[in-house]
Amino acid sequence: MNIRPVSDLRNHYSDVEKDVESEGPVFLTKNGRGSMVVMSFDQYRRVSDTVEQALDAADRQAATMPLRYSHEEVFGSVREMLAHGAEAQAL
């Protein structure tokens, strides 16, 4: 994982560009916190194509199933999993 300060985008653009091409996405920080991710257009397209394919597959599967969950059921389940995960980490 390549992490650099966001100022490198201005001060060392060509180095950041080379890192993106050779190592993949570069994670930029501002004041020690995550600010943005820089990636090539091809890297972005691969990521977004993967997401689109997964969403298309989910749509196809949903079309074959009569079962539907409400917003409250889905997000309640996610919140419960997150709460249990936080409890498990505290142990």
Side-chain angles (χ1 to χ4, degrees):
M1 181 180 319
N2 193 345
I3 302 172
R4 300 175 71 131
V6 73
S7 60
D8 279 4
L9 204 52
R10 177 186 63 240
N11 299 328
H12 305 286
Y13 178 83
S14 60
D15 293 338
V16 173
E17 184 178 34
K18 286 176 191 172
D19 285 353
V20 166
E21 289 300 323
S22 65
E23 300 176 32
V26 173
F27 298 85
L28 300 177
T29 62
K30 184 174 183 178
N31 299 323
R33 305 190 87 170
S35 176
M36 62 182 74
V37 177
V38 177
M39 64 176 66
S40 72
F41 182 76
D42 287 337
Q43 292 164 353
Y44 174 77
R45 186 173 46 217
R46 282 193 302 275
V47 168
S48 62
D49 286 351
T50 301
V51 170
E52 285 296 323
Q53 290 171 0
L55 290 172
D56 290 343
D59 285 342
R60 286 191 300 275
Q61 182 179 5
T64 66
M65 301 176 67
L67 179 63
R68 297 290 181 262
Y69 294 101
S70 71
H71 168 75
E72 291 80 16
E73 291 171 313
V74 171
F75 285 97
S77 175
V78 170
R79 286 185 191 100
E80 187 175 318
M81 287 189 302
L82 291 173
H84 288 308
E87 290 171 5
Q89 287 181 355
L91 297 176

